[in-house]
Every structure is written in structure tokens, then in C-alpha cells.
Amino acid sequence: MSRKRLRTDDTDQTNQTPPEVVNDSMPLLPRRLELSIFGGRPVNDLVKVVSDFLYKYINEPNIEIEAKLGVLVDKNTKNRLFLPIACEAVIDPNDSLNSRLTFSSDMTLEQHKSFNEILNKRFSETNARNYQGARMTYIHTKDTDRFYNIERGGRVRVTTREGQVIENGVVEKSRLANLNIFSPRTRLDYRITVNIETPRELPTGRHHYERIKDRMSYTHQIFKFDLTQVKIPETTNMSGRDQRSNKELTHELEIEFLDPQVLLTERQNFEKKRPDRFIEIVEVFVNNIQQLVQYAG
């Protein structure tokens, strides 16, 4: 039987601290560590910043939320951004640093193959007979995007598959905001973007730009993971004249909400003082991005 003794101070004090109980047999490391002295964990700071960013825009109609993996490039040096920090960080969207950054979402062919293998393996694991978690689904598509200039300076994208316009395939896409995240410990950074995709009528006339997308789409619960090879035809009409494409193939990986309505519903719950899962949803979104970025090395 373990021996416990009470350590006290003989000095009479008006304000005494609780006596210390000393257990001679107490292990150095408890069997279970509590998350904190308060019993829980604080909201991850990066998740909170992303949550605030999405909360600001989620009330807009026809919202698209996506994250792309890539590299933040300094326009001055033409190289990947350098910051004197040791871990992942969000760049303040209001800071002037963003004005001298571009984001290259093109990855190497080797990275593309690696992500393909990782996602295929995970698809197989989640579809095993004895798997208890949420199962992934998969579809391989080959689409063509054609872009048309319209009045007011806008641009309409028409997406076809096997010669037919796909469902919701005629939209005008406009960007609302970007959030750049620098990840110095990995080979890739990422950018979270909020867009508006407004349905439009099928345009007439000649398109001015075209791209062919060979895409493998994986879905898991409320998210879609698109691994895409994009090919621009050797000659395509850009800015009113034919120009040769600078690069035949690009490779992209993006994570997207299947339906951003799920976030809007949780925002409304929060505003009505009802229990909500807004932070939880954003945390899973960020978890997915971070794990894929880490797989890139």
C-alpha cells in the first residue's frame, strides 16, 4: 500500500496555501494527461484566423471556398517567399506584403504522382470491408473549360464533358478574397480563396481561352479533393490573338467545400446563440490541408 503523508508548515499564517499531498509511489508520468489545467484545449490560433476570414464572407450568395497547394513567390526575387519564422503562419490579408506576392499552384509531376498514390491508397483503406470510419468516393473526369468575354468586363466559363455542358457549367467567377499561409517547414504553402460563382446564360461568339482538365476527384464527408492535370492547347486565343502556351501541362491540388451552405448554417446558429460547429468544421478543413502539405515534404 502506498504511503501518503501531509507536508505542513508549523508557522502559523493567516493566509495559508493548501497543504501538499506527497505520494511516494506516484509515477513520473500519469496514465492519462489532461489537456490542460482547465480540462480542455484552446482553439488553434491559425484555425481561429481562418474561421474569422471565412465567417466574414460566407453570407454571400453562390459562394465557393477552396484551398490550393502551391508556392508563395516574391515578385522582387522571383523565388519562394522567405520570412524569418520557423513554423506555419498566416500572412495578414491587409498587409502590403501581399501586393508583392504571387501564388504558383503548379506542382511538379513527381509531387502530382505522389499525391495520386497517397489519395488512392487512402481511398482503398476507407473502402475496406472492415473499415469503421467515413468512406471516400472517387471519380475521374475529363472536362474542357472555355472562357468568353462578356459586357461589363466580366468573363464566363463554360465547362463541357464529352461535348455536353455539365450541370452548373456556365458561371461567371469572381474572387472575393485570398488568405495566404506560408509553411517554411514544408515544400508547399497554401492559399485559401473565397469566390462567387454566378450562374449565367450560355454565351455566344468565339471563346478567347481554353483549357483541358484531366481530374481525379476524391470526396470525404463534406470536402472534395481535386487532383488535376491542366493542359492548354498549343495555340489558344488569348487577349484577341493566338499565342503559344508557355507550358503544356500544369499540376494542381485543391481542397473544396462540397457545399458551403454547411458553414452558413453554423454561422446562423452562432448568431442566434444556438450551439454551433463552425470552428469544428474549419478545423477539419485546415487539418486536411495541413496533412496534405506535410505529405509534400
Side-chain angles (χ1 to χ4, degrees):
M1 180 180 297
S2 63
R3 294 179 293 107
K4 295 183 180 180
R5 63 180 186 275
L6 196 64
R7 182 181 294 166
T8 59
D9 192 335
D10 294 336
T11 305
D12 185 19
Q13 296 181 354
T14 304
N15 297 316
Q16 292 187 347
T17 59
E20 179 185 354
V21 176
V22 179
N23 189 337
D24 291 341
S25 64
M26 181 180 294
L28 182 64
L29 180 65
R31 181 181 297 274
R32 185 182 72 87
L33 281 175
E34 295 186 349
L35 294 174
S36 70
I37 190 175
F38 302 104
R41 62 163 56 91
V43 175
N44 179 284
D45 207 28
L46 188 145
V47 170
K48 183 64 169 63
V49 172
V50 175
S51 295
D52 291 346
F53 171 75
L54 295 179
Y55 187 92
K56 181 178 179 181
Y57 296 104
I58 193 60
N59 212 29
E60 298 287 339
N62 302 309
I63 280 290
E64 177 196 53
I65 300 172
E66 63 182 7
K68 287 191 175 185
L69 275 58
V71 175
L72 288 166
V73 178
D74 189 321
K75 294 178 184 178
N76 295 333
T77 66
K78 311 300 182 186
N79 295 319
R80 186 182 182 187
L81 173 67
F82 171 78
L83 294 175
I85 59 176
C87 63
E88 188 180 66
V90 178
I91 297 174
D92 185 345
N94 299 314
D95 192 272
S96 60
L97 173 61
N98 290 280
S99 65
R100 65 178 177 89
L101 295 178
T102 60
F103 185 79
S104 173
S105 59
D106 183 21
M107 64 182 65
T108 66
L109 178 59
E110 289 72 24
Q111 287 172 326
H112 180 96
K113 288 180 177 178
S114 176
F115 280 125
N116 189 201
E117 291 171 358
I118 290 166
L119 291 168
N120 282 343
K121 179 182 178 184
R122 190 60 185 148
F123 171 79
S124 297
E125 290 170 346
T126 65
N127 282 275
R129 179 176 297 181
N130 60 348
Y131 184 73
Q132 299 298 311
R135 298 180 184 272
M136 291 174 65
T137 62
Y138 163 83
I139 185 172
H140 185 182
T141 58
K142 294 184 179 181
D143 297 338
T144 299
D145 288 339
R146 293 186 175 93
F147 296 87
Y148 298 78
N149 290 329
I150 59 174
E151 296 178 1
R152 301 173 286 101
R155 189 169 71 168
V156 169
R157 183 189 70 204
V158 179
T159 303
T160 59
R161 184 176 302 159
E162 298 180 350
Q164 301 296 317
V165 178
I166 67 171
E167 183 180 0
N168 301 319
V170 184
V171 297
E172 180 181 2
K173 185 171 181 174
S174 55
R175 182 178 301 169
L176 277 182
N178 290 324
L179 193 66
N180 291 318
I181 295 89
F182 177 56
S183 181
R185 294 175 61 84
T186 62
R187 294 172 62 190
L188 296 177
D189 308 308
Y190 56 99
R191 167 180 279 182
I192 297 172
T193 302
V194 180
N195 301 308
I196 293 180
E197 292 192 329
T198 306
R200 295 297 185 198
E201 296 293 327
L202 186 66
T204 58
R206 185 183 179 189
H207 63 277
H208 76 98
Y209 179 68
E210 179 177 314
R211 67 185 181 191
I212 300 168
K213 299 183 301 188
D214 187 342
R215 172 170 287 174
M216 291 161 285
S217 294
Y218 306 80
T219 58
H220 180 256
Q221 296 191 304
I222 61 174
F223 302 105
K224 182 159 70 85
F225 305 78
D226 289 335
L227 186 61
T228 311
Q229 275 191 340
V230 180
K231 181 177 181 179
I232 299 174
E234 196 168 275
T235 56
T236 184
N237 190 289
M238 300 170 67
S239 303
R241 66 182 186 276
D242 286 345
Q243 295 182 349
R244 183 172 295 273
S245 169
N246 291 328
K247 193 170 185 179
E248 184 180 1
L249 280 178
T250 57
H251 306 85
E252 300 178 353
L253 176 58
E254 60 187 30
I255 302 95
E256 183 178 336
F257 277 81
L258 283 171
D259 187 350
Q261 178 68 34
V262 68
L263 267 185
L264 177 58
T265 298
E266 296 309 310
R267 169 178 162 155
Q268 292 168 345
N269 286 337
F270 173 79
E271 291 172 343
K272 294 177 181 178
K273 311 298 183 185
R274 297 197 296 245
D276 74 276
R277 300 173 68 186
F278 195 96
I279 290 285
E280 176 193 352
I281 292 170
V282 175
E283 183 175 21
V284 175
F285 180 51
V286 172
N287 287 347
N288 281 317
I289 302 167
Q290 289 177 327
Q291 286 196 286
L292 287 168
V293 167
Q294 289 169 9
Y295 275 125

